[in-house]
Amino acid sequence: MPSKRDQRLVQSEKAIIEAAIKTFLLNPDAGMSEIAQESGVGRTTLYRHYDSKQALVQAVALQCLEEIDKVLEPVYGMQGRQAIEATFELLLPVADRYRFLNILWSQAERDPLVSQKMDQSTQDMAWLLQQAQQNGEIDPTLPLVWLTTFFDMTLYAAWDLLAREELTTEDAVRFAARSFFSGCGTGVVL
């Protein structure tokens, strides 16, 4: 059984990660003092966990990627359109994680493990899109770079509207999938 000290360390680390996501989404240039204040831990505790802002950004990016991977586990048993629609549905509730990655990617990508995890995630998405093309669910004449970018931008639009509370999650999922397949589909209603 973990000691109380170990439990406190885990709790403070979770608080720091959540505070960093929230703070950096509002202000990507926020400093460590702002993170410490938002997390409710002292600066000494924050620096005990992360010796620099760069180390914190990379740790948060890695945490975000791991959470996204975990959320997407059910997709790996699916194919084509079903998998892509499920991806929209599963990613929208963790929009803050993905938005963090988009906003602070230039800092996070310096870490080789973060870069490697992001590359794997990109390859997985590309594979799903190629599979949907092979199944005749996505226009085979569209280049993969277009499809992945269009998917990301559609997802981003849904997240943005969710963050502004202009759509419900259910509507955002439905509109994202409909928009993606209307723009990239084969024209055949499935």
Side-chain angles (χ1 to χ4, degrees):
M1 179 174 203
S3 71
K4 282 191 180 212
R5 177 175 158 65
D6 291 341
Q7 289 174 345
R8 279 195 317 263
L9 286 173
V10 168
Q11 288 173 338
S12 64
E13 188 164 328
K14 284 181 183 179
I16 292 166
I17 296 286
E18 290 304 317
I21 291 169
K22 182 179 176 183
T23 304
F24 286 138
L25 285 176
L26 293 172
N27 177 11
D29 297 322
M32 295 290 271
S33 324
E34 292 167 85
I35 306 297
Q37 183 177 357
E38 180 66 33
S39 67
V41 303
R43 288 184 63 201
T44 304
T45 301
L46 176 61
Y47 279 102
R48 196 175 309 129
H49 286 279
Y50 306 101
D51 63 358
S52 66
K53 179 180 173 182
Q54 181 66 35
L56 175 60
V57 167
Q58 290 173 341
V60 174
L62 193 56
Q63 177 70 31
C64 289
L65 286 166
E66 288 171 359
E67 289 177 25
I68 289 168
D69 282 349
K70 182 137 181 78
V71 163
L72 288 176
E73 283 177 2
V75 171
Y76 302 131
M78 300 176 188
Q79 292 186 13
R81 184 180 180 124
Q82 178 190 26
I84 292 166
E85 288 176 346
T87 300
F88 281 124
E89 185 175 343
L90 295 168
L91 283 180
L92 282 171
V94 293
D96 58 342
R97 274 46 181 160
Y98 203 82
R99 289 183 76 214
F100 173 88
L101 292 169
N102 283 331
I103 290 170
L104 291 167
W105 183 247
S106 64
Q107 293 176 42
E109 73 177 334
R110 296 176 193 158
D111 181 271
L113 187 54
V114 170
S115 263
Q116 179 185 6
K117 282 193 130 348
M118 183 56 107
D119 288 347
Q120 185 60 54
S121 179
T122 301
Q123 288 172 14
D124 291 346
M125 190 65 220
W127 182 81
L128 287 177
L129 294 167
Q130 286 175 317
Q131 187 183 56
Q133 277 184 312
Q134 292 168 357
N135 291 348
E137 298 164 317
I138 293 180
D139 184 341
T141 65
L142 294 173
L144 190 56
V145 68
W146 175 262
L147 293 173
T148 55
T149 303
F150 193 82
F151 179 88
D152 285 346
M153 294 301 106
T154 304
L155 193 58
Y156 187 82
W159 285 332
D160 185 55
L161 291 170
L162 274 174
R164 291 188 284 159
E165 298 179 352
E166 293 184 30
L167 287 180
T168 64
T169 302
E170 183 179 293
D171 284 343
V173 169
R174 190 173 74 243
F175 296 154
R178 185 168 128 196
S179 298
F180 181 78
F181 282 100
S182 292
C184 297
T186 57
V188 177
V189 178
L190 300 172

